[in-house]
Amino acid sequence: MRVVVVPGEDGGGRAVVSGDAAPGGGGGGEVGEVGEVTEVADLAGWMGELERRVGPRWVVPSLAEVYPALLRAGVRLGRCHDLGLAEAILLAFEERAGRPRNVAAAWARPRGLPEPEDAKPQARGEQPALFEADRRTTPAGADPVAQAVDVLADQERRIAGTARPDLLRLLVAAESAGGLAAAEMTHFGLPWRVDVHLDLLVSSLGPRPAPGARPARLAELAARISAAFSGRPINPDHPPSIVKAFAREGIEVDSARAWVLKGVEHPAVEPLLAYKELARLWAAHGWSWLDSWVEGGRFRPDYVVGGVVSGRWATRGGAALQLPKVLRTAVRADPGWALVVADAAQLEPRVLGALSGDPRFAEVAAGDDLYAGVAADAFDGDRDRAKTAMLSAMYGGTSGPAGALLAVLRKRFPVAVEYVEQAARAGEAGRVVRSRLGRTSPPPSEAWQERVSASGDEEVERRARLAARDWGRFTRNFVVQASAADWALAMLASLRRRLLGETAEIVFFQHDEVIVHCPAEVAPLVAAEVEAAALEASRLVFAGAVVQFPLAASIVDSYADAK
DNA sequence: AAGCCTGGCGCC
DNA sequence: AAAGGGCGCCAGGCTT
């Protein structure tokens, strides 16, 4: 059973029960009978009750808008279809990404895509039209629930009309499960020991400075930097002034990046590198970060499901996906509880192996360490060179030794390398590419089209080639990154479903890594479910692939102790 | 003052 | 032959 729900005001809403689509989508994904619309005063209570009794698949315009309030009311949902998330995937698939046609989709649109001119944000308080007119089959002003039913049917029809409706259906289901998991992760929060974090800040930066002042340790380093430049005051936070200061000493550097400075012989280098590292900690994850993001021993970032075109998540505020490794020690299980930390090892090269079906690659990738296997087969056991070669294949790197290493890789694993090169050629030609499940790369902009097709002097044509290659690198990486995101999302969805009846909270998910917080005695079961979820994701996303996707779980007290 | 850009660096 | 993909966030400094 499916229940379509559109929230209204003051915690109420409207709902309608809708029949299930014909099994297997053989009937073209028609929505079955639609019942009477129910006016609900206490939406959370009503949904909680129905969830317990029936456990339907809920259909909502936007989980991000509905689910947090339900969670606060103590209601968790098992299964869901988020119309906005599904719409974003379908519009991209149909190469119409610029025109989301309902508010939820506009909200959920991956960042980085151009804002459509006709999708200006609604004024506050104004009741937005749920759907734009272009595809509406119900009359203007019709019940929003009826419109949602209509959109659901439309989406199912569009999915059924694709070459692989099974894969796209899986992607849409996984995306919605991700929407549920994301809201739950924010609700539960990542356990965060403020005292541990504060100790770390004080021991590395000194006591918390007054507002507007620099921490003592940074001020000392700044003084040492200025002293090293003949006492002339230098602002270490201003890269151009650092470049100029070195130039005055007769040292030409073309940037003030840490890795550039590492190659410079000068007394200012050591304090500068130390300053950069500490300034980063202070600015990005210092006292004000703690004030803003950690409350009651929990870090609660806002996750943006599908926020990256490849299907990776983004976050809004809190920089949750860039937690520096030194801070992992602040992530601790509650007393009597444990963290189950699981990380898919070498996910992207494994994904490339599975996508391409390269038989020799599958053979050497069988072991725990894929790069070691590739090295033994093609690089005289030199793991670093094997890794560089693989990364070049997936990222399009060509500088330094990368080109030559890639040539070796191509000779030994022609099928795997051809897979990404074909994606690169598609991008260079302005075509879209798709992930394993059908997540589709955005089409290049019109500005790109013009630049690439420009003809004229040598410089213009050189720029055209560069622009084409830039986009080729993007699509080359997209097929791997987005298919890895497919797998990770399917794994998360599977894990979430497996843990629904347990006392266990998924509290963190970062591209290829997941953290579960649970009572210590439940941890072994959770670890087993993590591995089962990885197997299930592999079976669903890469059916028949020889390549394995190990997801080893470790049970720890502190995130810093994982692996 | 607010918005945008750049350089830089954290994570995958 | 070929400038390694994706993000978020910060400070500084520019423009509006």
Side-chain angles (χ1 to χ4, degrees), chain A residues 260-489:
Chain A
V260 172
L261 299 188
K262 271 176 192 145
V264 173
E265 282 273 351
H266 189 276
V269 169
E270 184 265 316
L272 260 173
L273 293 176
Y275 182 95
K276 279 172 180 288
E277 198 175 322
L278 291 178
R280 167 83 195 173
L281 177 65
W282 177 50
H285 290 95
W287 289 273
S288 54
W289 182 89
L290 266 172
D291 291 345
S292 309
W293 294 104
V294 181
E295 203 186 333
R298 293 291 187 270
F299 170 42
R300 302 175 195 278
D302 266 335
Y303 297 92
V304 186
V305 175
V308 181
V309 287
S310 65
R312 281 182 173 185
W313 293 9
T315 54
R316 208 170 11 225
L321 303 184
Q322 295 103 256
L323 286 182
K325 286 187 172 170
V326 293
L327 276 185
R328 290 184 180 184
T329 183
V331 180
R332 305 275 178 107
D334 287 350
W337 285 46
L339 298 172
V340 181
V341 180
D343 183 334
Q346 305 165 335
L347 178 58
E348 294 196 345
R350 291 174 193 279
V351 162
L352 175 54
L355 280 174
S356 65
D358 189 311
R360 181 198 282 273
F361 190 84
E363 205 175 297
V364 306
D368 278 350
D369 185 350
L370 180 146
Y371 295 128
V374 170
D377 187 79
F379 293 94
D380 301 324
D382 186 334
R383 190 178 181 282
D384 285 346
R385 284 167 59 215
K387 185 172 177 179
T388 300
M390 284 303 304
L391 294 178
S392 303
M394 295 186 294
Y395 293 158
T398 51
S399 64
L405 295 174
L406 185 51
V408 173
L409 200 70
R410 187 185 293 114
K411 201 157 191 173
R412 298 295 281 181
F413 309 107
V415 181
V417 174
E418 176 57 18
Y419 193 91
V420 279
E421 307 224 311
Q422 199 173 316
R425 288 195 297 272
E428 290 179 16
R431 297 194 303 274
V432 303
V433 294
R434 301 191 201 281
S435 74
R436 173 70 179 177
L437 294 185
R439 181 104 48 185
T440 305
S441 67
S445 66
E446 280 181 26
W448 180 91
Q449 300 277 9
E450 281 171 26
R451 208 173 318 142
V452 164
S453 54
S455 58
D457 61 31
E458 213 170 290
E459 178 61 14
V460 168
E461 295 188 354
R462 194 184 66 88
R463 283 167 192 267
R465 284 194 303 274
L466 287 177
R469 270 197 293 276
D470 278 349
W471 200 253
R473 271 195 304 281
F474 168 63
T475 52
R476 168 196 292 265
N477 182 252
F478 184 95
V479 293
V480 176
Q481 186 185 118
S483 300
D486 288 348
W487 182 90
L489 201 59

Side-chain angles (χ1 to χ4, degrees), chain A residues 125-146:
Chain A
E126 188 178 339
Q127 185 67 21
L130 190 55
F131 308 109
E132 285 181 13
D134 61 340
R135 295 173 65 92
R136 185 166 55 204
T137 55
T138 44
D143 191 319
V145 176

Side-chain angles (χ1 to χ4, degrees), chain A residues 205 214-225 275:
Chain A
L205 292 162
R214 252 194 304 221
R217 182 92 182 95
L218 285 182
E220 287 161 29
L221 286 166
R224 281 182 55 202
I225 292 161
Y275 182 95

Side-chain angles (χ1 to χ4, degrees), chain A residues 175-192:
Chain A
E175 188 87 331
S176 292
L180 291 167
E184 289 163 2
M185 280 162 46
T186 302
H187 178 73
F188 297 137
L190 184 64
W192 198 276

